[in-house]
Amino acid sequence: MNVADLLDEAVKTLKASHAIDHWQNGRERIEAEDLLAHVVDGDDPEPDDDVGAKVARRFRVLVDRRATGEPIPFIKGYAEFRGIELIATPGVFVPRDSSEFLVEQAVRRLRRRASPVHVDLATGAGTIALAVAHEVSRAAVYGTDLSRDAVQLARRNAKRLGLSATFVSGDLFDPLPRPIAGAVDVVTIHPPYVAKHELAELPDEIREWEPVHTLTDQSDDGLELVRRTVEESPTWLSRTGWLLLETDPDRAREVKKLFVRGGFRDVQSTKGGELRVTRVVVGRRPA
Ligand SMILES: C[S@@+](CC[C@H](N)C(=O)[O-])C[C@H]1O[C@@H](n2cnc3c(N)ncnc32)[C@H](O)[C@@H]1O
């Protein structure tokens, strides 16, 4: 069998899967190519190259795993995110390409500062915090998460990447060192924002593979953690500091209203990422 035939077969298997969300045109082919590249470990096979029986067998096992909904980063053991590789393990939210836009917005604001301080709330695997630490090396970066497993993984990721960031476990700002209160230039958060009643509607690949506390704050509108972040951020932000929050298109308008009601200035909802699906709501600390 050649590469093209093997990929076609995999695309068919992935397209037939009910566990995968087929929201993006061509997603199955991108994933099949990603898995094949993983199996051949960096070789770049041509479509008419022959594939050995062993490679084909290993590849089909991975495709079958993906067809059950298992996220690709769990299959590969890592996720690529803005040029860094993050270990991905079940129990901690999988880094998403869509969050790269939040990093872009944070980096732009932090690079202008002489001694930048960044706090990433609900940090998961350390995704946003570590990408910022990688791109703004002089920044003091902190990440917090309620989940101890997440904090442990974030620390592991930092160590493996040789990046400097402090990860602490606890609720939102609670575990941060008090001396940075009033000195934070950028707070980022990609919170769990699915409303409680919407959980059942999520595709299997999310509902069955991501822990529920990473998806919802159990509120009726999914915005309880957003409300608390808006309320608590001003104490931690510097006078010219920004709050940046990643959400989905359905919630962006409501999030924007919460920022405005909380006294934030220059509030904007920005659309970005490669697929222009993600929304990042930004606002300057209330005066
Ligand atoms: C959608 S995930 C985002 C993870 C990571 N920021 C990313 O983008 O890959 C939400 C994260 O919020 C954490 N979380 C939930 N409630 C929290 C709280 N009250 N305080 C801190 N973290 C919380 C979860 O454990 C989970 O890691």
Side-chain angles (χ1 to χ4, degrees):
M1 193 174 238
N2 67 21
V3 166
D5 292 340
L6 192 65
L7 284 174
D8 286 348
E9 179 193 286
V11 169
K12 226 165 127 191
T13 306
L14 296 178
K15 277 192 171 160
S17 162
H18 296 295
I20 298 177
D21 185 10
H22 303 281
W23 64 280
Q24 181 195 356
N25 225 347
R27 183 182 190 201
E28 299 81 6
R29 184 157 295 274
I30 294 168
E31 293 195 341
E33 287 172 356
D34 192 4
L35 289 176
L36 186 61
H38 181 65
V39 170
V40 298
D41 196 21
D43 280 356
D44 194 10
E46 295 293 327
D48 52 4
D49 282 355
D50 275 336
V51 184
K54 205 165 142 200
V55 167
R57 207 175 319 119
R58 280 184 56 210
F59 176 65
R60 286 185 179 121
V61 169
L62 301 195
V63 171
D64 287 345
R65 280 172 68 181
R66 177 63 190 130
T68 68
E70 185 172 358
I72 294 223
F74 291 164
I75 297 174
K76 294 186 356 181
Y78 65 89
E80 283 128 12
F81 185 81
R82 265 187 93 93
I84 56 175
E85 232 177 52
L86 296 160
I87 302 165
T89 55
V92 179
F93 193 77
V94 175
R96 304 285 203 277
D97 290 352
S98 48
S99 299
E100 294 193 347
F101 181 53
L102 178 57
V103 175
E104 189 185 311
Q105 297 269 322
V107 164
R108 197 149 52 78
R109 288 171 172 84
L110 289 162
R111 277 206 177 125
R112 295 184 199 136
R113 317 268 171 158
S115 313
V117 181
H118 170 224
V119 167
D120 182 40
L121 303 172
T123 198
T127 309
I128 291 143
L130 291 172
V132 166
H134 181 235
E135 293 176 47
V136 191
S137 54
R138 63 180 197 289
V141 177
Y142 299 84
T144 77
D145 202 291
L146 207 50
S147 150
R148 280 174 194 278
D149 288 346
V151 166
Q152 259 175 25
L153 182 60
R155 287 181 184 151
R156 218 175 124 203
N157 272 320
K159 194 166 171 203
R160 182 166 169 266
L161 292 163
L163 292 171
S164 162
T166 304
F167 292 106
V168 274
S169 68
D171 179 34
L172 291 183
F173 293 95
D174 281 1
L176 289 172
R178 296 307 298 181
I180 66 162
V184 179
D185 297 300
V186 171
V187 169
T188 51
I189 180 165
H190 174 200
Y193 53 63
V194 177
K196 198 168 144 190
H197 67 274
E198 290 169 348
L199 275 177
E201 297 155 23
L202 291 174
D204 288 4
E205 66 172 305
I206 298 177
R207 200 166 33 86
E208 290 187 1
W209 289 91
E210 302 282 13
V212 73
H213 66 270
T214 71
L215 303 174
T216 181
D217 59 17
Q218 300 289 349
S219 60
D220 291 338
D221 59 1
L223 294 173
E224 187 51 29
L225 217 58
V226 177
R227 275 188 280 275
R228 289 186 43 220
T229 304
V230 167
E231 201 181 303
E232 294 177 28
S233 290
T235 308
W236 294 87
L237 285 169
S238 70
R239 223 166 24 84
T240 55
W242 290 84
L243 171 61
L244 274 48
L245 186 146
E246 176 178 342
T247 190
D248 67 350
D250 297 342
R251 259 161 275 256
R253 189 187 293 257
E254 205 46 48
V255 170
K256 206 173 150 192
K257 277 192 210 158
L258 291 173
F259 272 50
V260 171
R261 257 183 248 145
F264 279 80
R265 297 167 293 151
D266 300 330
V267 177
Q268 276 183 59
S269 167
T270 50
K271 193 197 282 194
E274 209 180 310
L275 300 163
R276 305 192 63 76
V277 177
T278 314
R279 297 293 187 283
V280 172
V281 178
V282 303
R284 251 184 223 280
R285 194 192 88 164

